[in-house]
Amino acid sequence: MKSEARIAYLFAMPWILGFLTFLLYPVMASFFYSFTDFSVLRPPRFIGLENYKEMVQDEVFWMTIRNTFTYVVAAVPLSATVAIILAMLLNTKVKGLAFYRTLFYVPSLVPMVALGILWLWIFNGEHGLLNMSLEKLGMSKPPNWLGDPAWSKVTLVLIAMWGSGNAMVIYLAGLQDIPQSLYEAADLDGARLVAKTRHVTLPMLSPVILFNVIMGMIGALQVFAVPYVMFPNGAPARSTYFFTTYLFDNAFRFQRMGYASAMGWVLFLITLTLTFVALRLSERQVHYDRS
Amino acid sequence: MNIRTIAITAAALGLLGYLVYRSEDATTRKPVANKVTVLYWEKWTGDEAMKMRRIVNNFNASQDHIYVKMLSISGVADKTLLAASGGNPPDVAGLWDTQMTQFKDAGALTDLAPLAKEFGIKEEDYIPGYWKLMSPGGTLVAFPTTPASTALHINKKFLKPGEVPPQTLEELDAFTDRISKVKDGKVELAGFMPAEPGWWNWGWGYWFGGKLIDGDKLTINSPENIRAFEWVLSYSKRFGVRETQNFQSGFGNFSSPQNPFMSEKVVSVMQGVWMANFIDLYNKKLPWIAVPFPLPKDQQHLKGMNFIAMDTLVIPTGAKHKREAFEFIAFVQRQDQMELLCSSHGKNSPLVKVTDKFFNTHLNPYIRLFDELARSPNAAYIPQIGIWPQMDSELKNAFTEINLGTKTPKEALDAAQARLDPQWRRYQQQVMGRSITTAEAKP
């Protein structure tokens, strides 16, 4: 057995080395750097809690927190709702189901940067497909999706739904796992679609919903590529300046790796806290026991 | 642990080590027989890179002991910085002038003064404004590849026969009022827009006698800068905030036929010497002229004011072949090579001496004007301050807030000043190692 264990460790060694070198070490190093003034080329200089103190007084930091939270609060439930509805539609017995499933999943495979460029054209205020359609429908002054701070975050929330295909596949698997007998019992009780959805589908799907919401929340807290491509510098007027964009700017544009590391740890703590809160709040609503 | 396990482990680690060693070798410095390979990372891609490659080829053909290997690298600045911190930077990097001070302060660039002296390259060889960009804070850290100066480009169709282009900023405003078209709440044609192309939004204050830094004091919210931003605001009021936004969102990329100047949506724009190249590429038939960008009536003493900039060659700290790298840089600085490169890129020359051939064969019919503007003692350039990226970010934000009408120019610039002051003090203390007196530390 001992020899087998050694062999097993040997085969796992590439991953272990990769984990230690490319994950654990950078994570630990960033924790140390968060207490330093570090501009990459010069040796880090220990400054205690200065980076964290500065963050408290940094207006832009708080602005990015507000922007990120607004985005999370709007995008996560909306994306989850869309994904659940799509999954429920695709869980019915209609012709060409496999085709539809693929069709709705494919968008989530499009690379983020390509996606950003694509949406720039769709949301263009003057020549965009969306505004041209809205004008044809009779709206005389459709929103300036990209240039107006009141609409820029809405634009990103709408775009977030584009990637619902990933979550949809997981919901679909969850839906197919719900015992048919429960629906039959509900039928006998005279339940209709709404009642069945409310009293059977959603409770039985609740563990999957919780998982997807937590994953979606973590993803939304780290939103970066699409706003970075579509709204350089957090434009307009920093309305799309998110936490990770500001972190990136501090690290690579402003060469303040210490401050960026501290921001990274704050984001980690925020994510941890929100995940914990989500788990605690959902204890009564999530049903794990299917017996 | 038996011998077989030890042997497998040793073999695996050996293979890993070999791959790491060879991959570095394969991707960066594959040696050419009997020659030192100078690795050159350049930001340019496509046509611009190809033209630079001609100069590299000329150098390689002239050499028996150095081979320059040029690679087009995206995100070259970040990668150079990280490669330098990892101890394996390229020997030469093609960066932008906007990064020189920050990189110099970070200790990322080699002081080139001793090598310049050895190769007989002198300050007097260069147009003074460019020399200042090459030596932020007095330390020579960069040499130019292609420089630029800027002027007002006007679509001639909109000038009456014999009409003199706007000579003052007030005349430019009147010109805009005369020819702009707004119909049913939509801007169809704009005579001028300060936000187009938006690359110099930080610098309008210079036209009003302002600066962003005076000595080591930031002067973002100086009366001159506030006045400049009030002028900017007058344009979004002229066309309407929402109308301006919609109009601008219809503009295509700079390098495309949908460029608002090329597609004749905006009649006049501030642009660099390179614009002739793009006009030639995307709208050959466009009748255009270039004139010095007009100054306000009360600032005529700033005649020749324009923004100059340049692409640079640097030797990052830790480069393995500094001397050979400089030999290549010195070759690029030769008048014949420099003129070849600058004319192919549609730029002016950074050198004091320019041949008639350069002027006479240049694609830009206004090349003499751009050369003259580059030499102007009033030519301005980005502030040589290590927190330029932060300053740029704050000024861009202030510009947008003013244009959107969410803040007055004074409010927006006061806010930018208030944010930048502590950042500048911190930078001076932490990066430049300067101690701040109690009086200075007070906001």
Side-chain angles (χ1 to χ4, degrees), chain B residues 418-438:
Chain B
R419 270 191 53 74
L420 286 167
D421 271 337
Q423 290 185 48
W424 177 223
R425 280 197 295 273
R426 192 179 314 108
Y427 185 87
Q428 285 176 302
Q429 281 177 312
Q430 294 183 348
V431 181
M432 298 163 78
R434 202 194 129 189
S435 58
I436 305 291
T437 62
T438 317

Side-chain angles (χ1 to χ4, degrees), chain A residues 150-207:
Chain A
W151 286 100
S152 52
K153 270 197 281 290
V154 177
T155 306
L156 286 169
V157 169
L158 292 174
I159 292 171
M161 286 191 290
W162 174 264
S164 300
N166 256 332
M168 181 202 75
V169 171
I170 302 171
Y171 284 126
L172 198 54
L175 284 172
Q176 290 176 352
D177 209 24
I178 299 173
Q180 203 55 37
S181 57
L182 293 177
Y183 289 109
E184 287 164 5
D187 282 337
L188 287 175
D189 288 342
R192 298 194 174 193
L193 180 68
V194 175
K196 279 195 277 186
T197 305
R198 191 177 158 199
H199 298 292
V200 179
T201 308
L202 291 180
M204 294 306 289
L205 201 59
S206 55

Side-chain angles (χ1 to χ4, degrees), chain B residues 101 202 206 209-222 225 381-388 391 395 417 421 424 427-428 432 434:
Chain B
T101 309
W202 52 270
Y206 287 77
K211 283 178 180 175
L212 294 172
I213 180 164
D214 192 5
D216 69 349
K217 191 169 176 281
L218 303 183
T219 53
I220 311 291
N221 58 352
S222 69
N225 287 335
Y381 40 84
I382 63 144
Q384 292 188 305
I385 182 169
I387 59 159
W388 168 248
M391 192 184 264
L395 287 167
Q417 175 90 32
D421 271 337
W424 177 223
Y427 185 87
Q428 285 176 302
M432 298 163 78
R434 202 194 129 189

Side-chain angles (χ1 to χ4, degrees), chain A residues 3 6-7 10-11 13 17 37-42 45 47 50-51 54 57-61 63 120-121 123-127 131 135 140-149 151 233-239 241 246 248-257, chain B residues 1-2 4-5 8-9 12-13 16 78 81-82 84-86 102-109 184-187 242-247 249-253 258 265 317 386 389-390 392-394 396-397 400-401 404 406-407 415 418-419 423 426-427 429-431:
Chain A
S3 169
R6 275 196 212 108
I7 298 288
L10 191 65
F11 278 105
M13 195 54 79
L17 283 176
D37 165 42
F38 180 39
S39 64
V40 185
L41 272 176
R42 292 187 191 280
R45 194 170 60 89
I47 53 169
E50 280 306 308
N51 286 327
E54 187 188 330
Q57 295 170 341
D58 184 349
E59 276 172 47
V60 177
F61 170 81
M63 181 185 279
L120 273 177
W121 284 107
F123 281 104
N124 187 298
E126 190 86 345
H127 305 298
N131 274 7
E135 278 178 4
S140 61
K141 286 188 174 179
N144 186 340
W145 303 96
L146 306 175
D148 187 342
W151 286 100
N233 217 37
R238 287 189 175 139
S239 60
Y241 207 23
Y246 189 44
F248 177 86
D249 279 349
N250 270 296
F252 296 105
R253 276 182 74 199
F254 309 156
Q255 290 181 15
R256 301 195 64 204
M257 212 49 96
Chain B
M1 198 179 275
N2 61 30
R4 203 174 63 168
T5 311
I8 292 173
T9 312
L13 288 174
L16 191 69
D78 294 341
L81 193 71
L82 292 176
S85 74
Q102 190 192 30
F103 275 51
K104 184 209 75 171
D105 289 348
L109 305 177
D184 301 330
K186 277 194 171 184
V187 184
R242 186 193 159 84
E243 290 73 12
T244 307
Q245 284 174 5
N246 277 340
F247 184 54
S249 68
F251 295 171
N253 285 338
Q258 288 77 38
K265 284 183 171 179
T317 306
Q390 289 96 314
D392 183 42
S393 171
E394 290 299 331
K396 273 180 184 156
N397 185 52
T400 316
E401 286 176 334
L404 290 170
T406 53
K407 279 186 182 164
R419 270 191 53 74
Q423 290 185 48
R426 192 179 314 108
Y427 185 87
Q429 281 177 312
Q430 294 183 348
V431 181

